[in-house]
Amino acid sequence: EEEEEEEEEEEEETSDFESRGDKGTPSETADEGVRESHQKRQGKGDKKKSNRGRKRRGSVRKSRERPCDFIVLVVHGIATTEENLSGHTKSLQSAVKQTLDRWFWTEQIELHYDTIYWKNLLQPWQKAMQEKIMIDTMRGTRVTIQKSVGDLLYYMTPAVGDQIMRYTAQVFNQKVRSLRSHSSGKFRKSKIVVVAHSLGGAI
């Protein structure tokens, strides 16, 4: 269609030159015709570009965030701090990504990771115990043992173990409800995956 329009414009220019007759020299009339033709083409080109720009901008506005397929909640084991829990979760993300890239490269799987940190319930008790009965010799080793084996002993105490489980369930449900009601709507139909390590699996 553009080629046909150009041919028509060239024919109009030729008829223009012929109709002008003695008005000005041939070179002047030819120059004027070329300028008019160029202005017409430029105007049409600008119009097409602006229309393309509107289409692109419209498509960007209509694009939506991709839905999340799985919400992955990580429950830690004994002797875990918030700092190393963050590092462990990143390692898990990296390992899962490598697995997906190697074995499931044809699948487009969207994952969201979050953590459930239950150890903060025990920290006040463990700190009080350290200050009350801890022997000064080999203090670093004793603290390490208490933070690991102590987690298990506290969990095995019925009152504390029940409290840990109730707290974990509460945080679990809060996180899922928060994601389900996210403004983007991307977590509305996500499946829930729980990855639990060591004592976290028992909880």
Side-chain angles (χ1 to χ4, degrees), residues 1-191:
E1 289 176 358
E2 289 176 359
E3 287 175 0
E4 289 174 2
E5 287 173 5
E6 288 174 1
E7 288 173 2
E8 289 173 4
E9 287 168 5
E10 286 172 3
E11 289 173 4
E12 287 173 6
E13 290 164 18
T14 305
S15 62
D16 265 352
F17 299 155
E18 291 171 355
S19 64
R20 284 195 179 100
D22 295 335
K23 295 177 183 178
T25 64
S27 61
E28 289 174 346
T29 55
D31 288 344
E32 287 173 5
V34 170
R35 277 198 295 271
E36 288 175 6
S37 174
H38 178 69
Q39 287 171 357
K40 285 179 184 177
R41 289 176 185 171
Q42 191 174 23
K44 288 180 181 178
D46 291 342
K47 194 172 182 181
K48 287 175 185 175
K49 285 178 184 176
S50 64
N51 287 336
R52 288 194 201 102
R54 285 194 202 101
K55 287 178 183 176
R56 285 197 205 99
R57 287 194 291 275
S59 63
V60 170
R61 288 194 195 101
K62 290 178 183 177
S63 65
R64 293 183 179 179
E65 202 170 356
R66 191 182 185 284
C68 177
D69 298 304
F70 297 96
I71 298 170
V72 182
L73 294 173
V74 182
V75 186
H76 65 87
I78 62 174
T80 301
T81 64
E82 286 185 279
E83 291 76 18
N84 60 28
L85 176 59
S86 175
H88 295 333
T89 305
K90 288 178 181 177
S91 297
L92 173 64
Q93 287 178 272
S94 177
V96 171
K97 185 179 183 306
Q98 289 177 27
T99 303
L100 292 175
D101 291 345
R102 182 173 178 82
W103 300 107
F104 302 96
W105 67 91
T106 58
E107 303 292 332
Q108 294 295 321
I109 301 175
E110 187 74 19
L111 302 172
H112 173 81
Y113 293 83
D114 209 336
T115 57
I116 297 177
Y117 186 64
W118 52 264
K119 178 68 177 282
N120 54 355
L121 281 178
L122 303 183
Q123 286 173 339
W125 294 327
Q126 289 181 334
K127 188 174 180 181
M129 187 68 69
Q130 288 171 15
E131 293 174 354
K132 186 174 181 181
I133 65 170
M134 185 70 68
I135 302 172
D136 289 335
T137 57
M138 302 293 290
R139 186 176 182 84
T141 303
R142 296 176 192 278
V143 168
T144 301
I145 294 172
Q146 199 232 18
K147 283 183 177 179
S148 54
V149 179
D151 288 353
L152 179 60
L153 295 177
Y154 276 111
Y155 173 75
M156 296 299 291
T157 305
V160 179
D162 289 346
Q163 191 172 344
I164 291 172
M165 286 188 285
R166 282 196 300 270
Y167 174 79
T168 302
Q170 180 184 352
V171 174
F172 184 106
N173 290 321
Q174 284 175 350
K175 287 181 180 291
V176 172
R177 277 197 297 268
S178 175
L179 290 169
R180 291 284 193 223
S181 60
H182 194 272
S183 58
S184 67
K186 65 181 292 186
F187 302 104
R188 199 166 294 147
K189 296 183 180 181
S190 304
K191 295 181 180 180

